[in-house]
Amino acid sequence: TQSTWEHCVLIANRKLEQQCIIQETVRVKSGAWDYETGVFVYNTLSHIKYTLVNGDHGVVRTLEIPLYITKVQGDVIQCLDRDSQNKSIFIDNSEFAFKSYLHKRDFTFVKKIIQSSRISGNSIIAYLTKKGFPEIALHFVKDERTRFNLALQCGKIDIAKECAGAADDKECWER
């Protein structure tokens, strides 16, 4: 099968060196940079999506009607509909902002997003662990056994000991 560029998002730096490429199954309609977070937000016929320069990407939300993105700023997307009418769409940008600030190692903003509790769940814990930040993942986890494993990964022996005691699990104590 032949790959077409209308189904791709290619991110390049100022020297036009490829940073990442995202292959979509359907045509990419439009996109714009969120300069605050450094994330490219784009859309297909039915979804608004994002990509970071490191290739991490995801879905922001679904669309009821086709739109054409003209500007992204914070949690507002400016766009045009098929009748050329301006529309403002409010989105939850916390997931891609979190990932972007984490990638930039801007922990001040990462901490603010964590404290606002706008993101949570196993996917963020897995993402943090995969990207080498198990100590940040500790802030999200309530399960003592999972906290124990994360604490060991980041060398927080006191927290691991506390979790092993709370879990009262023989296997934890043996490790």
Side-chain angles (χ1 to χ4, degrees):
T1 63
Q2 184 178 3
S3 175
T4 60
W5 289 106
E6 56 197 21
H7 292 95
C8 296
V9 174
L10 187 142
I11 305 293
N13 64 16
R14 292 175 192 249
K15 295 180 182 178
L16 298 180
E17 299 165 332
Q18 181 179 320
Q19 300 296 298
C20 73
I21 188 166
I22 307 298
Q23 180 73 41
E24 292 289 341
T25 56
V26 295
R27 186 177 293 180
V28 175
K29 294 289 188 188
S30 62
W33 285 98
D34 178 359
Y35 291 108
E36 183 180 312
T37 59
V39 173
F40 188 70
V41 179
Y42 64 98
N43 70 297
T44 62
L45 185 65
S46 58
H47 292 96
I48 296 176
K49 300 182 176 189
Y50 70 89
T51 185
L52 280 63
V53 295
N54 68 354
D56 289 343
H57 59 281
V59 176
V60 176
R61 62 171 282 181
T62 58
L63 290 172
E64 296 81 36
I65 60 171
L67 297 172
Y68 302 90
I69 297 172
T70 58
K71 181 180 181 181
V72 180
Q73 187 170 11
D75 60 355
V76 180
I77 295 178
Q78 302 294 327
C79 52
L80 297 172
D81 64 14
R82 286 200 167 155
D83 296 325
S84 300
Q85 298 297 309
N86 284 319
K87 297 206 178 282
S88 295
I89 297 177
F90 293 91
I91 60 167
D92 181 2
N93 69 346
S94 54
E95 180 182 331
F96 71 72
F98 177 82
K99 290 179 177 181
S100 175
Y101 292 129
L102 188 67
H103 174 69
K104 295 176 191 176
R105 297 184 176 275
D106 189 339
F107 297 115
T108 303
F109 282 104
V110 168
K111 186 177 178 182
K112 282 182 185 178
I113 293 169
I114 290 171
Q115 288 172 339
S116 72
S117 298
R118 293 193 303 175
I119 57 173
S120 62
N122 292 334
S123 62
I124 292 299
I125 295 164
Y127 180 83
L128 288 166
T129 305
K130 177 180 163 193
K131 295 296 179 179
F133 296 100
E135 67 278 0
I136 296 174
L138 272 171
H139 295 284
F140 289 100
V141 180
K142 303 284 186 252
D143 177 65
E144 295 298 337
R145 190 160 187 181
T146 305
R147 281 181 54 81
F148 172 79
N149 289 326
L150 288 170
L152 284 182
Q153 281 182 3
C154 60
K156 305 274 185 183
I157 302 304
D158 291 342
I159 294 173
K161 184 178 174 185
E162 178 184 310
C163 294
D168 195 28
D169 187 344
K170 182 181 175 186
E171 187 179 315
C172 289
W173 287 110
E174 290 174 356
R175 286 181 66 194

